[in-house]
Amino acid sequence: MHIRIENLVYDITDFNHPGGKVIQTHAWTEENNIDATNAFYQFHNRSLKALKILKSLPSFPTKLPRDDIEREFRVIVSKLKKDGYFDPSWRHIVYRISLNILIWVFGLILLNYRWMISSITIMSIAFMQCGWIQHECGHNSFTCIPQIDRILQIIYVNVFMGGNYRFWNDQHFSHHANTQDIRYDKDLKTHPLVAFNEKLVQKKGHTWFTKHQHILYWWIINPIVWFTWAFLSYPMFALKHNHFREYMITRVSSFILYHNLFKFSNIISVWNTFILFNVVSLFGTMLLLATFTVSHTTTDSYDKHKGWVRPSSEHTINIPDHWLTNTWMGYLNFQIEHHLFPTMPQFRQNIVGKYYIRPFFEKHKIPYNEVSFWRANYDVYSNLKKISEY
């Protein structure tokens, strides 16, 4: 098995990739000249260890030409690095963490006054914002220091959200490596609950859920996904991958944290803490899933490798730059740029899109998909309905 980086082909037959089997989706042959250059450098942007391992692998040169778009994109990346776009902003980091804390405090104050619906709503928004922060930490684009980002991700997803950061990374990195590739993108492995494209229905057929998905998605399907993740997928993944002790320690820490926070609002019983946390987790996860859905699900899937740049353009949707949208979506409304530069601090990607990516796309006649927030959500409904009638 081989992968191509620049003009060298590396033998990875005996290489145990720390990121799992996702590397196999970028396998190179002379008949299938897949260029993994941009995928490698965007995933391992800050890893000297990855570069050292790469150089230690057996390799040989190839004269097969590189794709012009992929090659030119590397030039843009080099310029952006030189200009500091991949550097962290500690002011922004403090702002994001402080805002998240303030939302939690506001929710707990409302809880103290027994304004239960308002309190749960606010804390669910805080939960969603934890999801955006942990997501960026998973990409090492928050503090841009891998060790610190890893610790923060554990705190936010395992402790604050009661999740499993290893499960999240496994799912999400597969998605970034193969965006909308129906064979390998784990975000498309949604049957029998939902089908976001016709290919999945053609392959798997309809279920009762998929026939009514445009009605069930937000109120029934997403809660089922939440329950499956929280009570089945997280612990089973931990058991399978030998980190169950780590997972349980962080879950216990999570419960202790919330039990003590809720005590300030006189919610003292263990059972009440369990119920309230899971209600907040349910609605927070529903907000996360609804927001993630607008980014890709209305675009077509594919089953032939497209490189790094084209999936980010042809199969990704942007939402316009606006302070409220940016805050609500944790800057993930710049999805095209996020998929092109997953290790870049996300709050800079609107500028990168305006001055670098749009001109680059126009030059190569690549589509730049951008719609309003409300139109994007309507398109999700329309797509779900269209597939349900297929």
Side-chain angles (χ1 to χ4, degrees):
M1 182 177 174
H2 302 87
I3 58 167
R4 175 177 183 166
I5 310 293
E6 303 286 0
N7 291 318
L8 287 178
V9 176
Y10 294 86
D11 186 343
I12 58 170
T13 307
D14 299 320
F15 175 57
N16 184 19
H17 184 230
K21 296 181 180 179
V22 67
I23 193 174
Q24 296 176 8
T25 66
H26 290 254
W28 175 93
T29 64
E30 289 190 357
E31 296 76 22
N32 194 17
N33 183 31
I34 292 177
D35 186 345
T37 304
N38 288 312
F40 173 81
Y41 284 112
Q42 290 305 312
F43 275 115
H44 306 98
N45 180 42
R46 297 184 175 88
S47 177
L48 295 176
K49 181 180 179 181
L51 287 170
K52 185 177 180 181
I53 291 173
L54 182 69
K55 291 179 180 179
S56 71
L57 296 172
S59 64
F60 59 88
T62 176
K63 293 183 178 180
L64 291 174
R66 292 189 65 201
D67 182 273
D68 288 341
I69 292 174
E70 296 290 322
R71 182 170 46 79
E72 189 173 328
F73 179 74
R74 281 288 297 146
V75 176
I76 293 175
V77 172
S78 297
K79 179 169 176 52
L80 290 172
K81 282 185 177 180
K82 183 178 179 181
D83 292 345
Y85 283 93
F86 284 84
D87 297 337
S89 166
W90 292 100
R91 179 183 296 179
H92 179 77
I93 292 165
V94 171
Y95 160 71
R96 293 281 294 281
I97 293 175
S98 300
L99 178 62
N100 184 249
I101 291 172
L102 286 173
I103 298 173
W104 277 115
V105 170
F106 184 39
L108 290 169
I109 291 172
L110 293 174
L111 181 65
N112 186 60
Y113 286 99
R114 290 297 185 271
W115 293 2
M116 296 302 294
I117 294 177
S118 298
S119 172
I120 289 170
T121 300
I122 296 301
M123 287 194 290
S124 297
I125 293 172
F127 185 97
M128 176 181 70
Q129 294 293 327
C130 285
W132 303 145
I133 294 174
Q134 77 82 19
H135 165 267
E136 207 162 342
C137 290
H139 284 292
N140 294 328
S141 63
F142 195 56
T143 70
C144 303
I145 303 171
Q147 296 85 347
I148 296 178
D149 277 338
R150 178 58 53 84
I151 293 170
L152 286 174
Q153 189 184 22
I154 293 171
I155 291 171
Y156 276 98
V157 72
N158 283 47
V159 179
F160 278 109
M161 301 178 71
N164 183 338
Y165 84 97
R166 295 180 187 270
F167 173 85
W168 169 270
N169 289 346
D170 177 77
Q171 300 287 309
H172 195 60
F173 293 164
S174 168
H175 164 67
H176 270 270
N178 306 282
T179 306
Q180 290 298 100
D181 187 328
I182 198 165
R183 301 164 302 169
Y184 305 119
D185 187 346
K186 292 184 179 180
D187 282 2
L188 297 180
K189 310 297 182 183
T190 55
H191 201 269
L193 291 178
V194 63
F196 292 116
N197 58 78
E198 294 174 355
K199 290 186 178 69
L200 193 58
V201 175
Q202 291 170 354
K203 183 178 180 180
K204 300 279 190 177
H206 266 304
T207 66
W208 180 82
F209 287 103
T210 59
K211 285 183 177 180
H212 303 88
Q213 61 185 15
H214 58 295
I215 300 170
L216 302 174
Y217 179 71
W218 290 272
W219 316 113
I220 302 297
I221 293 174
N222 279 350
I224 292 175
V225 172
W226 164 80
F227 180 87
T228 303
W229 282 355
F231 298 103
L232 298 173
S233 299
Y234 295 155
M236 288 173 64
F237 188 88
L239 276 170
K240 181 179 178 181
H241 295 273
N242 300 315
H243 62 272
F244 189 72
R245 180 184 296 179
E246 171 195 85
Y247 170 72
M248 287 305 301
I249 289 172
T250 56
R251 288 296 286 116
V252 171
S253 301
S254 175
F255 187 85
I256 292 172
L257 170 68
Y258 280 99
H259 190 56
N260 282 285
L261 288 175
F262 294 158
K263 273 185 179 179
F264 290 108
S265 300
N266 296 317
I267 294 179
I268 298 173
S269 77
V270 169
W271 177 246
N272 285 343
T273 295
F274 176 81
I275 293 295
L276 182 56
F277 168 75
N278 281 293
V279 169
V280 170
S281 173
L282 167 61
F283 286 110
T285 302
M286 289 172 66
L287 288 174
L288 281 166
L289 289 171
T291 306
F292 269 126
T293 306
V294 304
S295 302
H296 304 282
T297 60
T298 56
T299 66
D300 292 333
S301 61
Y302 58 94
D303 56 12
K304 186 177 180 180
H305 190 81
K306 288 191 171 187
W308 182 258
V309 175
R310 286 182 179 86
S312 300
S313 63
E314 298 172 8
H315 302 279
T316 307
I317 303 293
N318 267 23
I319 311 296
D321 182 15
H322 186 278
W323 70 269
L324 185 57
T325 310
N326 299 351
T327 302
W328 180 261
M329 298 185 68
Y331 301 89
L332 274 173
N333 42 320
F334 313 118
Q335 273 288 316
I336 294 172
E337 289 73 27
H338 172 59
H339 272 260
L340 290 171
F341 313 103
T343 57
M344 176 187 291
Q346 290 169 193
F347 77 98
R348 290 200 174 99
Q349 290 172 350
N350 59 333
I351 301 298
V352 171
K354 183 177 181 180
Y355 293 107
Y356 292 87
I357 299 307
R358 283 182 183 269
F360 174 55
F361 279 15
E362 288 174 6
K363 175 183 175 181
H364 292 282
K365 295 181 172 56
I366 300 173
Y368 190 93
N369 301 312
E370 184 176 76
V371 298
S372 71
F373 178 81
W374 301 113
R375 175 57 189 269
N377 281 276
Y378 175 76
D379 287 348
V380 170
Y381 170 80
S382 299
N383 183 62
L384 289 171
K385 189 172 188 297
K386 181 186 74 172
I387 303 303
S388 72
E389 297 170 347
Y390 176 76

